[in-house]
Amino acid sequence: MMKLFEQNSASWVRYSDYEWRDAEDGHSYLVPAAGAEPRPYDPLATGEQMVLDALEVGGLLFRHQPENEIKAAMREFACKYGLLGIMTALPTTARFMEINHVVLPKNDFIRDLTMPVEDYIHLFFPFGKPDLQSTEDENRFSTEDKYEVALFLTYEGYPQAQIMSFMRDYGERYEWQAKVFRDWAFTMATSFLYYEDKDKVDEHTLDIYRQGMAAFDENAPTYHIALLDKPTMVWDFHSLLLAIKMLLSMMLTDEEHPLRLCRQCHKAFISRSPNTKFCSQDCKKKYNAEQMRRRS
Ligand SMILES: [Zn+2]
């Protein structure tokens, strides 16, 4: 499935620990825990597992599980992969610091479609205003934290906003993350059920499925061509969110190893043969035992 990514790697930052903190604006934010250390890693190296883990968090939302359980799953996800990078994923360009203006496509998160940079950034730094040195046409972030300085050196040339989303005070609010994870689970379920139900339901229901998929547009990652030993497409994700979205799209359209929902536990899994209905032998046994019990 990874043909488009064959030559690819990406880089993202995860801290060793995260915690939920309530801000004065009434929202709950997931932020790096005090004293946690940042580490860059390649999220594409374990891309499939990351998508499955994201779908599992989304599944909890889908099934209306208690908020504390969902928050624990989101924290665990962040400890494995870092935060989603919603700040750079939403605007039309991740380089908004460089042009000193934020432009957003129509979205479900923020109503204003253009914003001053400082107001926008404040939505992701609710506990400590970042130290911005602003000139008329550029904003520069400055820090004395040794880890943050190291991150600026490591990611030289990346959009300034992407590096800022690796900072210690950067956080993402619960409701926004919930929407992202829920949408992924919804997209996966819609695409799976459409083909499962195709012959069983009426045209009106199928149309609702199709409309559900149409909502999965928003921003896409950009790319450039790098002249390596041969010309190579390199994806510029600038957020974990767009990387996961792209990987999920690839996995949904993979005919050989399709993504499926387990008939027993309802978790997403990658099917190694076209007719597999269960994520594991265990689920298959449980399902068959239940069917037997029902029949007797
Ligand atoms: Zn299962």
Side-chain angles (χ1 to χ4, degrees):
M1 83 127 199
M2 297 299 202
K3 250 203 178 124
L4 269 169
F5 295 100
E6 246 161 37
Q7 308 263 356
N8 258 289
S9 65
S11 191
W12 196 247
V13 167
R14 66 179 162 214
Y15 277 78
S16 50
D17 195 13
Y18 289 84
E19 64 188 8
W20 286 101
R21 271 164 65 191
D22 293 329
E24 276 173 15
D25 61 11
H27 296 285
S28 194
Y29 289 80
L30 189 59
V31 290
E37 290 179 16
R39 287 268 178 278
Y41 80 104
D42 177 2
L44 296 184
T46 52
E48 287 188 340
Q49 189 55 49
M50 175 169 69
V51 171
L52 292 177
D53 288 347
L55 290 172
E56 201 166 328
V57 178
L60 297 175
L61 285 146
F62 214 57
R63 297 194 297 276
H64 302 287
Q65 297 303 298
E67 190 176 304
N68 59 354
E69 200 181 307
I70 297 166
K71 279 187 163 175
M74 285 178 180
R75 186 192 149 266
E76 206 179 303
F77 185 88
C79 290
K80 254 172 122 174
Y81 305 109
L83 292 168
L84 297 173
I86 298 175
M87 183 170 84
T88 43
L90 291 186
T92 50
T93 170
R95 294 195 184 270
F96 61 81
M97 293 286 288
E98 288 81 344
I99 56 173
N100 206 4
H101 205 68
V102 179
V103 181
L104 303 158
K106 201 171 173 318
N107 67 86
D108 295 323
F109 301 86
I110 296 167
R111 194 148 5 116
D112 296 332
L113 296 185
T114 62
M115 278 177 110
V117 164
E118 260 192 74
D119 293 353
Y120 180 67
I121 282 175
H122 197 64
L123 299 170
F124 299 89
F125 287 84
F127 304 107
K129 225 170 161 220
D131 188 5
L132 290 180
Q133 280 149 19
S134 307
T135 63
E136 203 161 289
D137 44 30
E138 205 192 34
N139 283 285
R140 287 224 143 253
F141 178 81
S142 71
T143 176
E144 275 160 22
D145 181 295
K146 66 174 178 177
Y147 290 112
E148 295 184 343
V149 170
L151 288 170
F152 266 93
L153 293 174
T154 307
Y155 288 92
E156 213 193 324
Y158 281 66
Q160 173 107 211
Q162 179 179 346
I163 311 172
M164 283 177 68
S165 64
F166 299 150
M167 299 295 109
R168 208 170 273 292
D169 287 331
Y170 173 88
E172 294 182 344
R173 59 175 79 169
Y174 173 74
E175 296 83 2
W176 289 0
Q177 290 192 63
K179 170 148 180 45
V180 172
F181 282 113
R182 193 190 298 113
D183 280 358
W184 287 334
F186 177 79
T187 302
M188 196 271 137
T190 305
S191 145
F192 173 69
L193 293 174
Y194 181 81
Y195 297 99
E196 282 279 294
D197 293 353
K198 212 163 184 288
D199 305 322
K200 289 176 255 166
V201 300
D202 58 43
E203 191 54 30
H204 175 69
T205 310
L206 291 177
D207 211 43
I208 291 174
Y209 282 145
R210 286 192 282 259
Q211 282 169 25
M213 287 306 276
F216 188 60
D217 53 7
E218 297 161 6
N219 282 343
T222 54
Y223 65 91
H224 66 272
I225 293 172
L227 301 174
L228 308 179
D229 50 337
K230 57 180 183 170
T232 303
M233 273 170 80
V234 177
W235 293 92
D236 307 315
F237 296 108
H238 303 314
S239 68
L240 198 63
L241 192 161
L242 289 186
I244 293 175
K245 190 176 157 182
M246 189 75 180
L247 288 167
L248 173 60
S249 305
M250 311 286 299
M251 288 163 78
L252 284 174
T253 51
D254 186 328
E255 283 176 54
E256 264 173 64
H257 303 294
L259 257 185
R260 309 189 67 97
L261 287 178
C262 173
R263 214 173 245 194
Q264 170 65 19
C265 69
H266 308 294
K267 281 184 187 160
F269 69 99
I270 298 164
S271 165
R272 297 297 165 197
S273 71
N275 290 320
T276 317
K277 305 264 187 275
F278 301 95
C279 73
S280 62
Q281 281 301 322
D282 220 34
C283 276
K284 188 177 181 177
K285 268 186 216 153
K286 265 189 216 158
Y287 183 85
N288 288 338
E290 260 169 47
Q291 293 293 312
M292 290 275 272
R293 191 147 30 85
R294 255 181 232 163
R295 258 181 255 138
S296 61

